């Protein structure tokens, strides 16, 4: 099993003709993801060739959904248009919208996210790498070759740090049910707890890796949730122990304000709630091995 | 992006907020002229992007234009938290009956803009939050509806009892929210919002941060950027679309992705080293970015070794490899470079680096430990 | 029984100190309505005397609800502040908001009504006379002396025309379960069908009077709903047979545009759907008598 | 409130819409001057609050300033649907490749503003709705979010295929929605939205109605009111906050409540009479309103009898009774008055009228039948 996506996922790619959209559509199709439609305003009627697949391009998500039955979308459009694209996707009736785009104005996102909630869809991101369910499909930009099927769920605020952790798990022969990057922006659609809930409901997930960073208190809330609701082991990692307070560390959300949101505090709360904390990325692998009794 | 108090005041005035007059001076003579124009007692305030101005002696009361000139002389050129004061704001000294705090910021938990108001103004609101949390009212603003009249009124009654003050403060809430929305702020703060002995509510300090992501759409606000008020390395990084934060160590770090960048810094520390910087070359990287990154890192004389840690997702490893090769052709780099590349187009990248005479790692721990050891010996 | 209000209704009056608010609060209290709070910004802490009752006044609806457990509100505040007052009421957690105020800008109402829906409350009005459940209580401005308890539900877009009809029923000894004035504005919170649904669910209501007017197609939709869903008899009346097209007849919503919305058309659709149509207001009484076999 | 085309254009221009230049003239000489300034062919358009200008000869093409002067001479003073033309708009004649329709109005059913767009423009949209409903796309706008980019784009693609036209039309949708929201419109319409042979999208006609309820908050828009363009009785009624519509009969009606007023008119007809007017004295009535109502009704020479039908809810019957007594003191009313009063403060009202020598009814049918009979005999 997997969370959020599976073999019934029918994906529309918004911004399929752009540099990132076209590159990653190729990658997704290669991996076996069922990409059924592309959307680029003004290019409706054209098609996108990926391997032996010819994917129809539409001007709008509405047309894409009506013509292809798409039930999920991934957004690669530039930041100025991305919140509009997210709302368009939610309005078209898809269940899942994965927003890869980085640099969307935060106030645009507060509105767009409210809209997605009103329409009852799930938003992942923005400014996230998406998700992959090894052997079933991927939506976004996580490099598939570092993953393999198995019993570990991975959820992370970071992109490349997730790849690091997943890569090391895979090299050690430990596969994943689903790897989810939730993104590092202040306003995101899916948070740690949403993913933990989904992993808890997934019988195939037997352990979870949760990778956090400085800023906010999402990790602390997730830790409390883990203690109250989860029976399977959770291994944690927090990036930013050497980050100075008051400076934004790349992610708009990665900033230590006041005494809240330091790595030390998050590590403390993780451990307090029974989450084994890795000091180095490589330790994640070893703690998971231990947790699974391998 | 942080902007100066005098710029924030311009934004406030546009939104209709009751802001006392005032202007900015870059020389003591200008300060004197402005003080003369305003008449009466004035305040001379250092314009720097950092807190604690008052404690550092950057805010002074002057009873005469001559005194204002003297204060400006002392404050201009002063260094506060490492930043040199280049401008002072001259504004009338107001008589104060009471001080309140009013701020709006983006609240991650509420997924919306949220007001924080407190009758305990003029002090650090973080401190109030810790010592007397009940003195702060938080009101989230539903982005679908904006600030609603009853919310503004409720906050005003939290600050004041007198209906005349409540009326003024209600208006202030709406005006502050307008300033916050119209300028895509991540923070808009009045501290203090004062009541004068005459019963007028006034915003006598203004603090505003703008969401960097919104700057392309707001050229007027983007023009507020004061590159003199930030280190040149950060200006250069921003212009190259790199996320960069200068630190005090000697291991220069160049990583893709903020989380991995922080984890790399942490690992440098773990192996006994000290990172010289945080640097995220971002997604969709291109060779020019790598060139700029190397230029920024090598401009720091502390840097003994350069550490690349690249895990390819949206960033393609071959772009980074090309960038490194290109950069070493364009600029003379004496500092040794340790490279770790893996992920998307890893094979092509390793080939490019090999062709150019570089050797590369695939293990993060290995590259970090080796670089740290080199830095320690250098 | 009754619809929307009953003896458990605990009413807050918004604008209790104004001319209309104070007058009608007296009337409501006299009739036995449980008015538990008044709200007038700036007058919190004072009280409003009505008969032998002393009703506390609050600055905000939140305070009123917290202090008194109010579960309904009625809005008498001036039009410029009325949509804000409606949203404040919905935000305070009451289930029912009855907006009497006339002259609220329509675009303000589109937002306010969306807000009330989001909060899960029911809005009646604006620009409506409110409702009365004879013997149980009244919210709004319907003169109580013209009503009496009995088996007929009354719903109307008009104010005074409703009084006319109810008055004649009462004079003929035919009482009412509830009389509801839904208001004549283009944007209203509760429409004919909402009321018909509620009357259908009320075992005491044995016949319904539905009074419409020119403009829009609400009556036509209600008529179709009656045919599809109601077993009890419905008597109808439509005002505006002599109204010229293209002119607003007092109510912002009472305007015939194009061929839709004429009285003739509405009467036709009523009759087509089994609703007996009164030609004069006085005929309403006779048709109801007939329907009830009196 | 309906406003003139030239006023609607001002609103459109403020919202950024592509509106050709032009100005309004009240004399043929002014029209000639304006045509000279614009150069080339111009259109002379009657400014009246009614449809069917074109058919009535109120819109003319002129090839020269002299011809424009001549057309203006013919059109100014012309009567269209009973309204006298007092202004003409002079605007360049555009070459037209295609005409579309774009409108926004308040949709009762959707409880929101709703766009209607059609590639069949330049004609009556009601007619298109009946003959070819598929040629109209309706897009409701959620008031919590406003017009969303994908909605604007979808409408633009419904009108045009060429991406360059789609881009311009998308912008037009946003601009029209801004005009609609910022000015509290109940209707904002472009008919036609044209494409020129050069591929420019332009709004060459503008029709705007403003929500009367919003006028107090919009003084600039309220100032567009042209009292010359409406009958004096309606101006007077509006100033007295009465709802009034003039009709052709001889039974003057004064009723509280729009529904009851219509039902009273219908009952007048039922008993063989003809109502002279619709008049709703509204809720919260006061004596001054009744005075104004009587003045308006008695100013109509057709009126043979005045019929009051008052059912008191928020309106108190004693206020109305006082108003009638007061009015008969202030103005000399020869026309007989038949009064029916019932409801709130009915007893007090009947006492007041009795004291003043009036007799009053309590049955609606009785009073209407009696009044109609009197009018028939008078």
């Amino acid at each position: 099993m997997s969370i959020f996506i599976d073999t019934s996922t029918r994906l529309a790619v918004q911004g399929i003709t752009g540099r990132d959209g076209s590159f990653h559509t190729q990658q997704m199709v290669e991996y076996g993801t069922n990409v059924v439609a592309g959307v680029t305003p003004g290019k409706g009627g054209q098609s996108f060739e990926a391997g032996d697949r010819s994917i129809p391009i539409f001007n709008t998500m509405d047309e894409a959904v009506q013509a292809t039955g798409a039930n999920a979308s991934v957004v690669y459009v530039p930041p100025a248009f991305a919140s509009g694209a997210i709302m368009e996707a939610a309005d078209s009736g898809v269940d899942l919208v994965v927003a890869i785009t980085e640099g969307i104005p935060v106030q645009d996102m507060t509105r767009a996210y409210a809209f997605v909630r009103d329409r009852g869809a799930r938003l992942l991101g923005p400014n996230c790498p998406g998700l992959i369910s090894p052997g079933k499909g991927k939506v976004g930009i996580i490099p598939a070759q570092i993953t393999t099927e198995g019993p570990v769920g991975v959820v992370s605020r970071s992109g490349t740090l997730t790849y690091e952790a997943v890569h090391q798990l895979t090299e050690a022969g430990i596969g994943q049910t689903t790897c989810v990057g939730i993104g590092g922006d202040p306003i995101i659609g899916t948070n740690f707890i949403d993913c933990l809930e989904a992993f808890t409901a997934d019988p195939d997930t037997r352990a979870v890796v949760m990778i956090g960073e400085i800023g906010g208190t999402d990790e602390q809330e997730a830790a409390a949730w883990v203690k109250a609701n989860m029976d399977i082991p959770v291994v944690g990692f927090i990036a930013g122990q050497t980050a100075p307070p008051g400076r934004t560390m790349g992610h708009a959300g990665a900033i230590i304000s006041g005494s809240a949101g330091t790595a030390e505090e998050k590590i403390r709360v993780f451990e307090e709630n029974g989450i084994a904390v890795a000091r180095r990325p490589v330790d994640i692998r070893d703690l998971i091995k231990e947790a699974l009794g391998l | 992006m942080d902007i100066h108090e005098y710029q924030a005041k311009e934004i406030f005035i546009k939104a209709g907020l009751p802001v006392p007059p005032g202007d900015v001076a870059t020389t003591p003579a200008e300060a004197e002229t402005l003080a003369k124009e305003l008449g009466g007692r004035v305040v001379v305030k250092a314009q720097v992007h950092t807190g604690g101005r008052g404690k550092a002696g950057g805010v002074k009361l002057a009873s005469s234009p001559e005194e204002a000139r003297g204060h400006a002389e002392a404050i201009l050129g002063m260094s506060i938290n490492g930043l040199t004061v280049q401008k002072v704001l001259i504004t009338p000294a107001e008589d104060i009956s009471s001080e309140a705090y009013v701020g709006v910021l983006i609240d991650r938990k509420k997924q919306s803009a949220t007001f924080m108001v407190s009758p305990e103004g003029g002090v650090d609101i973080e401190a109030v939050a810790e010592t007397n949390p009940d003195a702060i009212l938080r009101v989230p603003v539903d982005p679908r509806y904006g600030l609603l009249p009853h919310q503004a009124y409720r906050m005003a009654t939290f600050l004041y009892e007198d209906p005349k003050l409540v009326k003024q403060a209600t208006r202030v809430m709406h005006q502050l929210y307008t300033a916050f929305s119209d300028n895509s702020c991540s923070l808009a703060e009045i501290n203090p919002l004062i009541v004068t002995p005459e019963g007028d509510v006034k915003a006598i300090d203004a603090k505003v941060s703008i969401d960097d992501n919104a700057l392309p759409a707001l050229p007027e606000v983007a023009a507020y950027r004061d590159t003199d008020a930030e280190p040149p390395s950060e200006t250069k990084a921003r212009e190259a679309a790199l996320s960069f934060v200068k630190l005090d160590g000697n291991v220069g770090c160049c990583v893709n992705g903020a989380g991995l960048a922080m984890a790399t810094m942490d690992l440098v520390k773990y192996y006994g080293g000290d990172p010289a910087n945080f640097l995220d070359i971002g997604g969709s990287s291109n060779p020019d970015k790598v060139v700029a990154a190397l230029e920024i890192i090598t401009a720091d004389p502390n840097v003994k070794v350069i550490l690349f840690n690249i895990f390819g997702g949206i960033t393609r490893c071959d772009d980074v490899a090309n960038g490194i090769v290109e950069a070493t052709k364009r600029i003379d780099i004496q500092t040794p470079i340790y490279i770790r590349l893996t992920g998307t187009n890893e094979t092509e990248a390793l080939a490019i680096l090999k062709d150019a005479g570089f050797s590369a790692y695939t293990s993060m721990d290995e590259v970090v430990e080796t670089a740290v050891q080199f830095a320690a010996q250098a």
Side-chain angles (χ1 to χ4, degrees), chain A residues 71-139:
Chain A
N71 56 16
S73 92
V74 58
V75 176
Y76 291 102
V77 309
F81 307 102
S83 68
I86 290 168
M87 293 192 276
E88 180 183 5
D91 215 15
S92 75
V94 300
D95 305 320
L96 175 70
V97 184
V98 178
I100 307 303
T101 308
E102 184 181 347
I104 305 178
V106 179
Q107 294 193 27
D108 288 3
M109 272 314 301
T110 60
R111 246 172 103 246
Y113 180 45
F115 187 87
V116 174
R117 269 181 308 192
D118 277 343
R119 290 295 182 276
R122 169 177 299 286
L123 172 68
L124 180 65
N127 192 13
C128 81
L131 73 172
I132 183 166
S133 287
K136 298 191 182 66
K138 77 169 201 170
V139 177

Side-chain angles (χ1 to χ4, degrees), chain B residues 39-67:
Chain B
R41 294 185 311 149
V42 300
V43 190
V44 182
K45 301 170 95 174
Q47 300 296 289
V48 277
H49 294 319
T50 177
R53 288 181 307 182
K55 278 187 198 155
V59 180
K60 293 274 187 200
L61 188 69
S63 307
S64 68
E66 297 69 36
E67 201 182 346

Side-chain angles (χ1 to χ4, degrees), chain B residues 15 52 58 136-137 140 153 155 160 167 205 252 259-260 283 332 334 373:
Chain B
I136 299 179
L137 175 69
Y153 178 78
M155 291 190 280
Y160 307 117
K167 200 171 171 186
D205 196 18
L260 189 60
D332 181 29
Q334 299 296 336
Q373 277 168 4

